[in-house]
Structure formats: structure tokens, C-alpha cells
Amino acid sequence: MFIPASLSHTSAAFKPQPAGPSLQGPRRLSSAQRPVKELLPQITSGEAVQTSKLPRKNPKSAREAAVLQLERISSQGTYIHIGKRADVTEAGKPPVNGRLEVDARAQKSATGLVAGVLKSQRRLDHLLSPFLAKPEGLAPGLLNLLRLGAYELLVFNKPGRIVNEYVQLAKQLSHSRAGGFVNAVLRKVTQLQEAQVWQQPLQLDAAASLSDQLGLYYSHPSWMVQRWLQQFGQVETIDLLCANNRLPEYGIRVSPGVEGGPQGLLEDLQVRLPAEVEVSASEYLPDYFLHTVRGLQDMISMPQFKAGQMQVMSESAGMVVRLLDPQPGERILDACAAPGSKTLFAASLMQGKGQIVALDSKAARLKLLESAARKQGLSSMIHPVACQLQDLQQQHPELIPLGGFDTVLVDAPCSGTGTLAKRADLRWQRLPDDLSDLCTLQATLLDAAAALVRMRGFLVYSTCSIEDDEDEAQILSFLQRHTNFKAVPSQATCLPQSVISSDGFLRIFQHRHGIEGAFAAVLQREQ
Ligand SMILES: C[S@@+](CC[C@H](N)C(=O)[O-])C[C@H]1O[C@@H](n2cnc3c(N)ncnc32)[C@H](O)[C@@H]1O
């Protein structure tokens, strides 16, 4: 079956073109696709390219920085995306290889290359594999370098002379003979570039599994695609895969004290922002957020950002806080708080009155929350605690108000499948078994949280997942275990109707709403 280009909703990086050969690899290899081993047996089968060194500590160019970032992701799972401090990893620690020496522009283009390679990885590997005698034996440094070269050639259609840049990089990072190997492989890739292989539209083969074919073409793991096919059907799954491959857009929360709110800030910013920046008031939370389609780096280099007048935060996360509806004077427990964007937004709505206990099991991530709270002048309202939620009663009984908290937020650890456009690496880091482990943890956290809610108080559960098991099914199962709680349907008073499901939950899908996928439910304790 042929999927017409109009169904593909592709980004610039995935522009469909008129008909071409099937996405299944050719059955007979053309000369362009014969393994390089036949040309360079002494290299591909030898030790030289199997033992490439890690890149230097301080990269000098965007491409070298990109290899370094890809190495970090493979070895430490640390993905640094635009909008995050480049010297702090997801775990809240400085990256082991230290600061990058490249300037901000080169760093930005390195980050773009890395995200592009990660989002195209499966298809790139498939196209590279006929040229590699033993792809699994290649040192990761060299494989990542080939992926980057193939990405620039095939997706960006860069001229063939960039092959030489990758050859020099391979020699510098690895071994002089690796240069010859990279040259041979990337020369083969330029032949695929000339044949416009990347631009060929998806053609489905009835004999092969749909999830494998979509997974390969749109570079996602087949198990994820399989789940979404069951949940959404074929056409919507393709929309979802395309949405995950688009460039991410970012929400910007505007601090409450800013004169004129988001609109006022926008007018202030427009005087200084370069013309190519695309930013407007948020469609979903116009009183609190801006939405940046392009130019986040420019936004965060503005003095208003440094002065704490705006913070990077997804509008989906913002809507969870609107559901939480924090009121001045309340005692709130944010049970999975770090790095703290929801705690900070909630505190900023409480007009300086009340207290939020910001608990998280990871002390390093809580440090980020503490420093942001200081910067935003909210420290006096936020009490950070490094502790597992299940241990709070035992370890810190003094933090629990008599009768319980007015509201407890469980922003649970989850698969993050709503955030795949931003977290380009996540699709490869998640494994099918993670889902059942995460569901078990989410249920444990919900049970522990239930015991901390006061009578007639609220429990708000949220995820940035679009998986039913972690969302609706998790809540239905909680309500069966805790018959003293009831679900409170969300009203369209503080949120647009379009994000509220027929069950009354907050339900955002990236391909339907154009912002990060998320879920939230409000539950009330009745007895
Ligand atoms: C989705 S993140 C929270 C994001 C945060 N609410 C925000 O808006 O910035 C989930 C958090 O749960 C924390 N966590 C995991 N297991 C936990 C546990 N047993 N008790 C408390 N926190 C836990 C993780 O360390 C992680 O920071």
C-alpha cells in the first residue's frame, strides 16, 4: 500500500517526494551498496576501526561536538537539549567531559545534528548497513560519525565535499585508517543521495509487519509503533510518528509580576528579537504562557530570561498546574517535584501565602529546583525534601499537616512518550519492559499519596505519557483500590475544551494538539 505524501505531515527533514522504490532494502545489492569490506577488507575486518577512541574532551567544531554528544547519550544516557543548561545533565550532574569549547552557534548546530540523527537513526542504520561488513562490531564513536555524515548528506542534502570533513574528523578522533574507511562508506552514501533515496515515499508491503515498516521509515522502535497502531489506527499513528520527528516547539511561562503578562512581555521582546524568531501568546494558556515555534535560544539569551521574567516550561505541564488550582494559604505536597517547573508555577500562583513541600527521591535534581526558587523569589514558600514518597510518613512526619495536605500532586515518572519531539533519544532508551515497571511504580506512588490527602482534599495525578496503561487505566485501577476517592471531571473553565477528554481527564496528544502529550486526573477524597 502506498501512503500519499499528504498523509505524512512531514517536517523539512522528512519531505516526501513522488513515488520511488519500496522502503524494504534492495534484494540484490547494486555496486553502490556492496559492503565496503569488498573494497577495504584490511580495514573493516581489522582492529583499527573497531577501537576508535572517544572524542577529545573539548571539541572545536559543531560536528565534533555532535559526535561527543552522541557518545554521551550512548554511554551515560545524558541528552542535553536546547533550552537546558549545557553544563548540567538530566541527572543534575555536570557532564563528565566538561564544558564544550565551541561557541553558542556551533553548539546549537551540534544539538540540531544530534537530535536529527537520533530521530532518523533506525532508517540511517538501515541505509548504512549494506556498506558495513559488521555494523555491530563498529566502535560506537565511528558508527555515530557515519550516522552524522549520512544524515547531513541524505537528509540535508549537503554537497558531497563534506565527506572530507568527516574523513578528517575520523582521523583526528580515531586512527588514520579509519579515515579511509569513513571515506569509502560515505562515498557510497553520496550515491544514495544522488538517487534521492531519503526522499522516497513510504510504500507498504502487505507481506511485512506494519509496525516494522512504519518503525523503519519513521525511525521509531517497532514495539512503540505496535502499541500506537492498536490505540490510534494506521492513519493517526503516522500523524503521531511525524509529530515526534518534527522540530520541537517550546512553551515559555511568564512570571506573574511581569507588566501586561505574556502580551506585555512579547511587546518588550519584539524590539530586540531577531526577525526569524517565531513566538506568540499561547493558544492554551494565553494569560500565562508564550509559545515559541522557532528561536528558543534567542529567547533565553534575552535579559528578561536572565532576570527571571520567563522560564522554559511546556504548556502541557502548565495545564496540569491550572488543574491543581493552587490557592493562597494552602498546604500542598508536590510528591515528585524535581526539577521543579510545576512547583514553581504553583507557588507563583499562591500570592506569597501557603507552603509547598517539594519532595523528590533525587537530591541532585532538587538542587535545580532550589536554585530556581531562589532566583524567582519563591524560596520561602517551598520546602524541598530529598526522600522517597513511600518513606515520607516515617522519615519526616513533622512535614505532614494534621489531617493531611489540601492537595497532593503526583507528577509520576513515566515513559515520556508525549515528549518524543523534544527528547529525541528517549525512543531508543525506553524498552518494552519499562512500561510495566513504570506502571507498578506509579501505582505505588499513588497509593502512598492517597494516605496523605486530607478529607475532601485533592489528589492530582499527571504524566507526560500518551500510553493508556500509565494514564486512564492507572486511574481506573486506583479508584478500584481506593473507594474513598472519586474522579472529579475537569471543567473547561480554566482550560480549553479541546484538551478535556470525554471522561473529564486532561488529555493532550502531540499530533492532535501541537504541544507535548500529557495526561492528568483530579481525584477527591470523600471519606
Ligand atoms: C516526571 S518527573 C517530575 C517533574 C517535575 N514535577 C517537574 O515538573 O519539573 C518525576 C520525578 O519523580 C521522582 N521520583 C521517582 N521515584 C520517586 C519516589 N519513589 N518518590 C519521590 N520521587 C520520585 C524522579 O526523581 C523525578 O524527578
Side-chain angles (χ1 to χ4, degrees):
M1 182 193 159
F2 168 69
I3 299 286
S6 59
L7 278 183
S8 303
H9 287 283
T10 53
S11 69
F14 290 85
K15 272 194 199 117
Q17 299 282 320
S22 146
L23 91 128
Q24 299 299 312
R27 282 171 186 81
R28 272 194 302 127
L29 298 179
S30 68
S31 70
Q33 290 167 314
R34 254 183 275 128
V36 175
K37 185 175 179 185
E38 291 173 21
L39 305 172
L40 292 164
Q42 75 285 15
I43 290 179
T44 47
S45 58
E47 285 295 294
V49 293
Q50 311 287 327
T51 56
S52 87
K53 290 177 280 188
L54 269 179
R56 277 202 311 256
K57 281 190 176 181
N58 297 311
K60 302 276 190 242
S61 70
R63 291 192 175 101
E64 193 181 342
V67 177
L68 174 58
Q69 278 196 28
L70 285 167
E71 287 307 306
R72 279 200 196 126
I73 291 161
S74 336
S75 61
Q76 303 169 23
T78 52
Y79 181 60
I80 299 167
H81 55 78
I82 188 170
K84 259 199 180 302
R85 279 174 54 192
D87 57 341
V88 175
T89 67
E90 280 290 302
K93 295 180 193 144
V96 290
N97 285 318
R99 273 180 178 279
L100 306 182
E101 260 184 21
V102 290
D103 64 21
R105 237 179 98 199
Q107 181 60 59
K108 186 175 157 190
S109 69
T111 307
L113 283 173
V114 168
V117 165
L118 290 167
K119 288 182 180 180
S120 320
Q121 186 171 301
R122 185 169 175 190
R123 194 164 167 211
L124 287 173
D125 285 0
H126 175 75
L127 292 171
L128 281 167
S129 64
F131 312 141
L132 305 173
K134 280 191 197 162
E136 68 290 348
L138 268 185
L142 210 50
L143 181 57
N144 283 328
L145 193 137
L146 290 173
R147 285 172 175 156
L148 279 162
Y151 175 72
E152 286 207 68
L153 287 166
L154 296 175
V155 182
F156 275 126
N157 216 11
K158 289 271 175 74
R161 63 176 180 278
I162 66 139
V163 170
N164 193 41
E165 305 220 8
Y166 281 98
V167 170
Q168 296 312 319
L169 194 54
K171 285 183 186 165
Q172 192 184 308
L173 299 178
S174 182
H175 190 285
S176 58
R177 288 165 73 195
F181 169 70
V182 166
N183 185 43
V185 175
L186 292 185
R187 293 279 160 223
K188 294 275 182 188
V189 173
T190 58
Q191 293 171 14
L192 300 182
Q193 180 190 32
E194 280 154 22
Q196 298 224 311
V197 166
W198 194 267
Q199 287 74 16
Q200 287 166 9
L202 170 62
Q203 283 189 317
L204 293 177
D205 175 352
S209 126
L210 185 57
S211 52
D212 281 345
Q213 294 179 78
L214 295 180
L216 175 56
Y217 190 82
Y218 295 103
S219 278
H220 280 69
S222 298
W223 71 267
M224 270 187 198
V225 180
Q226 180 61 42
R227 289 183 62 85
W228 296 335
L229 283 169
Q230 279 164 10
Q231 191 173 341
F232 300 110
Q234 183 177 319
V235 171
E236 212 182 326
T237 296
I238 291 175
D239 277 353
L240 172 57
L241 297 168
C242 291
N244 294 340
N245 284 343
R246 284 201 194 105
L247 290 175
E249 298 178 7
Y250 291 86
I252 304 273
R253 177 169 74 78
V254 178
S255 298
V258 174
E259 212 183 315
Q263 202 54 47
L265 183 63
L266 199 55
E267 281 160 24
D268 256 17
L269 288 168
Q270 264 157 3
V271 184
R272 289 167 177 260
L273 280 172
E276 62 274 16
V277 175
E278 259 182 71
V279 57
S280 56
S282 160
E283 176 189 340
Y284 295 98
L285 291 171
D287 294 339
Y288 302 93
F289 277 70
L290 295 174
H291 181 85
T292 307
V293 173
R294 196 187 336 189
L296 182 73
Q297 277 302 356
D298 294 301
M299 290 287 286
I300 62 181
S301 63
M302 290 289 116
Q304 289 90 336
F305 183 80
K306 292 188 183 106
Q309 292 187 7
M310 53 179 176
Q311 295 82 37
V312 180
M313 176 180 188
S314 82
E315 291 140 279
S316 309
M319 285 193 259
V320 172
V321 177
R322 292 298 294 138
L323 275 191
L324 191 72
D325 195 21
Q327 295 297 320
E330 281 189 339
R331 308 279 308 255
I332 295 175
L333 170 64
D334 187 348
C336 297
S341 59
K342 294 188 186 71
T343 317
L344 294 162
F345 185 25
S348 79
L349 294 172
M350 291 165 73
Q351 299 165 17
K353 297 184 204 109
Q355 178 110 76
I356 302 183
V357 174
L359 178 142
D360 202 281
S361 56
K362 293 208 178 96
R365 279 163 65 87
L366 271 179
K367 295 251 176 288
L368 300 174
L369 191 162
E370 285 177 62
S371 87
R374 269 195 302 276
K375 193 169 151 192
Q376 293 173 39
L378 295 167
S379 296
S380 63
M381 296 181 63
I382 297 174
H383 188 107
V385 191
C387 166
Q388 300 239 24
L389 175 61
Q390 306 88 307
D391 300 335
L392 183 67
Q393 297 224 25
Q394 220 185 356
Q395 290 186 9
H396 295 283
E398 75 286 359
L399 295 178
I400 304 170
L402 203 63
F405 289 93
D406 296 307
T407 305
V408 177
L409 169 64
V410 176
D411 184 32
C414 68
S415 63
T417 50
T419 66
L420 295 181
K422 189 166 83 186
R423 284 288 313 273
D425 59 325
L426 200 58
R427 66 187 74 177
W428 309 121
Q429 288 189 8
R430 285 276 171 253
L431 300 172
D433 284 350
D434 292 351
L435 220 52
S436 62
D437 294 348
L438 283 162
C439 287
T440 306
L441 174 60
Q442 290 152 1
T444 305
L445 292 172
L446 274 169
D447 291 346
L452 299 167
V453 179
R454 72 161 165 81
M455 196 74 81
R456 308 216 65 78
F458 295 93
L459 171 55
V460 177
Y461 172 78
S462 63
T463 72
C464 53
S465 161
I466 56 168
E467 311 307 312
D468 178 69
D469 309 23
E470 297 181 272
D471 299 337
E472 287 89 347
Q474 186 65 264
I475 290 304
L476 294 181
S477 146
F478 172 86
L479 290 172
Q480 279 167 4
R481 291 195 305 279
H482 298 265
T483 49
N484 56 335
F485 276 83
K486 66 168 185 193
V488 182
S490 303
Q491 304 292 330
T493 45
C494 62
L495 298 177
Q497 186 68 49
S498 62
V499 295
I500 298 173
S501 72
S502 53
D503 303 326
F505 299 131
L506 173 72
R507 194 7 119 207
I508 307 170
F509 292 112
Q510 55 266 47
H511 59 289
R512 291 189 200 162
H513 297 95
I515 53 174
E516 273 179 18
F519 170 84
V522 181
L523 312 167
Q524 186 173 25
R525 184 175 160 197
E526 296 192 291
Q527 297 160 33

